Amino acid sequence: MNIKFLGAHNCESQDTRLLSLVIDDSLVLDAGGLTSSLSFSAQQKLKAILLTHHHYDHVRDIPAIAMNFYLSGATINIYSTLPVYQVLAAYLLDGKLYPNFLERPQENPTIKFNVIEPYKPVQIEDYSVLAIPVNLSIPAVGYQVTSSNGKVVFYTGDTGPGLNACWQQVSPQLLIIEVTAPNRYEEFGRESGHLTPSLLKQELITFRELKGYLPQVVTVHMNPLLEKEIEVEIASVAKDLDSPITLGYEGMQLHL
Ligand SMILES: [Zn+2]
């Protein structure tokens, strides 16, 4: 399993992109910084896009990728839970901002939307995909993706603390988890549903108690303006837990 980090931050600039990961050049997790990171030919190889929740920084490039597929006569599969689909259909893909790619072209619409249910594994291409609810202010899930040769990654999307129930459902070798802000923003994190390094530490301690191990951990969704501070604090968490935790970045590639 090859995992490319197209966008690893919560704010966009010339140096940072919004959240988007791609597995084996075919399965996309969130579509924040998708199109600007891939050539047209790389885009055409994509088979499916999984969306964790409907916030703009995770769904922004859906209309853009759909236009590219539409113009080349191809189709793309998108997967999410029902609440995410309902918001996208009502506000982003309703035909006002841009064409309604859920219905155009009439004979073979560009977007094939698939609503999935939490806790029910679905087979998508060569992967078993499991959506597990996380703790955000709106409905949100993380995705566990298991390859045909048994490699397992869990991507949380955006989440606040309190992942005990989530951890019970997953057993990843690689955990890609959000850490939005440094420790002094803990109150903000608890209120808005985001993690800081110290909140992450508590979640990882719980994980280890439950599962008896810690996976390799890569953080995403960092606020670029606060990243230096986050980096120092993450290093301290990794040292305390005696386990590797690294910050994700645009262009990062991991092999499982
Ligand atoms: Zn976000």
Side-chain angles (χ1 to χ4, degrees):
M1 188 186 276
N2 174 48
I3 299 139
K4 280 185 193 155
F5 292 67
L6 305 181
H9 291 87
N10 73 340
C11 294
E12 188 181 64
S13 68
Q14 64 177 1
D15 303 316
T16 60
R17 291 207 170 103
L18 302 176
L19 245 297
S20 196
L21 312 168
V22 60
I23 296 176
D24 297 333
D25 298 321
S26 71
L27 186 69
V28 174
L29 300 169
D30 280 339
L34 181 60
T35 44
S36 58
S37 306
L38 295 175
S39 67
F40 285 116
S41 63
Q43 290 176 27
Q44 290 297 326
K45 289 182 190 144
L46 301 175
K47 302 287 189 208
I49 300 173
L50 312 180
L51 301 172
T52 58
H53 64 295
H54 61 67
H55 276 159
Y56 185 72
D57 57 322
H58 299 254
V59 304
R60 186 192 64 177
D61 284 352
I62 294 296
I65 191 99
M67 177 59 88
N68 295 346
F69 273 67
Y70 172 77
L71 292 175
S72 63
T75 60
I76 180 86
N77 277 292
I78 300 182
Y79 295 79
S80 80
T81 56
L82 183 60
V84 178
Y85 167 73
Q86 287 170 333
V87 171
L88 291 185
Y91 298 105
L92 192 64
L93 297 169
D94 62 338
K96 292 194 183 76
L97 278 173
Y98 220 34
N100 180 343
F101 294 113
L102 295 168
E103 294 174 4
R104 287 181 61 183
Q106 212 172 10
E107 60 283 7
N108 188 22
T110 302
I111 296 177
K112 311 290 180 201
F113 213 104
N114 307 271
V115 170
I116 57 178
E117 286 180 45
Y119 307 113
K120 288 196 177 166
V122 287
Q123 189 70 23
I124 302 176
E125 300 294 319
D126 294 334
Y127 308 93
S128 174
V129 173
L130 182 63
I132 302 293
V134 293
N135 292 325
L136 198 60
S137 53
I138 58 168
V141 296
Y143 288 107
Q144 177 166 269
V145 178
T146 304
S147 68
S148 52
N149 62 345
K151 304 297 182 186
V152 187
V153 59
F154 183 64
Y155 164 56
T156 61
D158 290 4
T159 185
L163 294 169
N164 309 35
C166 172
W167 293 155
Q168 285 170 22
Q169 305 293 326
V170 299
S171 296
Q173 293 144 12
L174 170 65
L175 172 65
I176 301 173
I177 187 165
E178 79 121 279
V179 173
T180 300
N183 292 340
R184 61 192 167 97
Y185 286 84
E186 181 165 328
E187 196 60 36
F188 153 82
R190 288 187 186 281
E191 279 169 14
S192 59
H194 290 296
L195 295 175
T196 64
S198 64
L199 290 173
L200 171 67
K201 183 179 174 183
Q202 293 311 309
E203 298 304 322
L204 293 179
I205 288 170
T206 306
F207 185 105
R208 187 152 65 185
E209 282 168 6
L210 277 169
K211 317 292 285 194
Y213 79 102
L214 274 182
Q216 178 185 356
V217 178
V218 178
T219 69
V220 290
H221 205 260
M222 290 74 68
N223 178 337
L225 301 172
L226 302 169
E227 193 158 7
K228 290 260 182 300
E229 216 176 319
I230 296 169
E231 190 172 15
V232 170
E233 293 170 357
I234 285 290
S236 147
V237 173
K239 192 165 172 250
D240 290 351
L241 297 179
D242 192 24
S243 195
I245 308 174
T246 45
L247 275 68
Y249 57 88
E250 286 73 16
M252 184 182 204
Q253 284 202 54
L254 294 173
H255 301 274
L256 274 187

